[in-house]
Amino acid sequence: MEALLQFAPMQSSVDEGFWHRLSSLKLNKLGIDDSPILICGFYAPCSHSQVSNHLTLLAESLASDSSETPLIPEPSRGNRNRSPIPGILYNTNTVESFHALDKHQLFNKEAAKIWDDILTGKAVEDCSLLSRFLVISFADLKNWTFNYWFAFPALMLHPPATVLNLKPASHWFTVPEAESLSAACNQWRSSKSTADVPFFLVTIDPNSRASVRLLKDWEACQSNAHKILFGFYDPCHLPNNPGWPLRNFLALISVRWNLNSVQFFCYRENRGFADMRLSLVGEALITVPQGWKDTVPSAVGWELNKGRKAPRCISLGQSMDPTRLAISAADLNLKLMRWRALPSLNLNALSSLKCLLLGAGTLGCQVARMLMAWGVRKITLVDNGRVAMSNPLRQSLYTLDDCLNGGKFKATAAVESLKRIFPAVEAEGIVMAIPMPGHPVNSQEQDSVLDDCKRLCDLIDAHDSVFLLTDTRESRWLPTLLCANTNKITITAALGFDSFLVMRHGAGPLSYAHNFNAEIADSSSADMPVNDANGKDRLGCYFCNDVVAPTDSTSNRTLDQQCTVTRPGLAPIASALAVELLIGILHHPEGIFAEGDVNNIVTGATEQPLGILPHQIRGSLSQFSQMTLIGYSSSSCTACSHTVVSAYRNQGMDFILQAINHPTYLEDLTGLTELMKSATLLSLDWDQEIDEEDCVEI
């Protein structure tokens, strides 16, 4: 006696994004309208020998609440991991209405749709209609709890189908047939036009060549010499039971093609490829009474909750808060990086990193957004300017409203914008000017300037990394000195009209155990690099290549010289590189002490996961070119040399006032004044020795 064919019930899974989309739809568009909503579920063939796949609802299972069209979801097609299945959702306004729904009537209505699709042939043209499903729900948006119940209507055959010889496909087919069928299934699953088509025909010719075809090709498959099997994507993993979709498939086969014996193929996968050992093949015997087509068959399919017929309830009070959901969504790309591309990515280090951005203009806006994209959550912006009418087009955190009534302070407006973009960011805006050499202060301003110096010092102490993104050269001097003194990670980005510089500053001079006396003795040589105890050259800062101290660069300038006139595409490029440079430092084993890499030449023992870590990146838009350079520290640097940092440590704020008020103070201190005199004398000696007769015209 043949055994009854028993099916593994379909199981459901609902992503949090679906509930968030439903909540938004209910709040913003539906209101009290409780009309049925068309939805789309997704399932795929079983891909693991121990775990069945579920029918899943995602955010895209619902139409967007911003759509002006009727609420019809439009899922993307051709995704091999998402076969779209049409469904309908009845979402009630109260929990009482949810429990009072006529579930029997709603269920039979969906079963009748499936039966009608079979009789009319719609299910042959669009086989996903065979797996229609129903969801009833109540969304408590005050407490973020959701009551719901799935039903997967399956038409019942009378008498029930029986089964012969259900066994793994690898035991059913010959080896050539199994290999050919595997190749045909893999090709079917790789084609965008068929990858998500869950029901199909399998034919095998006398030469053991298999092919997979659409259901509508049934007539073309008729041949006495061909084996024909009816295949479907089986979400079930059980070795002795086919999945739920086969039930309605058998009803279709019986009604449309009047077959009493059906060989079916339960298609399952392993690691994305056909697996004949997991897949099943069986023969079902179908006996239907006279007049069976005249009435809608009975159906079953309400999903069980822990073994009994009852709805489910889920509370998402913790995760459905928009801020929490934004955090989860923002980190998704970073978490996916860790799967394969970058397993060593340290998300905790990034989320706890404190970044100080000096300048909230074109560069500051771009850097702040890029930092958030990398998972940085603690950002402080310092700027004393206001948002001008010319800013919003180039500075991405500002809008026209920020320019009105004299303009908001940039630091304040930028923080407000960051929090609108990502509410979980811990951003702070500081309205403050940075004291600068070449901009002397009188006695009345001295206390205020000293307060700004102390405040800037405290800010740098409180942060892990500092970005120098200001408009002028002299405004970068004091932060560079303070960062060198505290050994902070420092990144500079500077723009020309069509060129840019992005660089990381080397570690501070007092962080190295090198021979300071040797440096002081050779302080007249501005080109001489400073070595650490291991003989490595210390990388330079923004000022190490200069032979003059920073001075006033803003006075007596025309309008185009006062503004940062630069090609619009330059700032996003430089900002992105600046942030990538920081991420590279954080993931390098030597951190701030890492040597500089040039192009594909890596100085470390092994290449780092994020690639090379350059010292300087200089680019030109006019040439569409970019190069990496190394510049070593100078013993005569006016910002990071041992002489300057030691003087600051010994004299404190008095040293800073001297540098601000006296134009040549830094040059005299570092030996640049003597160096320039020596160069002038050498130039004069050279000129006197030149004989006109010794010149050769080229």
Side-chain angles (χ1 to χ4, degrees), residues 100-156:
L101 282 173
D102 189 342
K103 302 172 185 63
H104 182 72
Q105 185 265 339
L106 295 176
F107 182 85
N108 288 339
K109 185 177 180 180
E110 293 308 305
K113 291 179 183 178
I114 295 173
W115 183 245
D116 183 67
D117 291 335
I118 290 174
L119 294 178
T120 60
K122 289 182 180 178
V124 175
E125 294 296 323
D126 180 7
C127 59
S128 67
L129 298 174
L130 288 173
S131 300
R132 285 180 183 272
F133 66 98
L134 162 72
V135 184
I136 60 174
S137 68
F138 165 66
D140 180 356
L141 302 184
K142 182 177 181 180
N143 298 308
W144 294 109
T145 58
F146 302 85
N147 296 272
Y148 66 99
W149 200 351
F150 275 77
F152 305 98
L155 303 172
M156 298 175 64

Side-chain angles (χ1 to χ4, degrees), residues 54 293 296 331 557 591:
H54 297 181
K293 300 180 182 179
V296 180
D331 288 342
R557 296 291 191 271

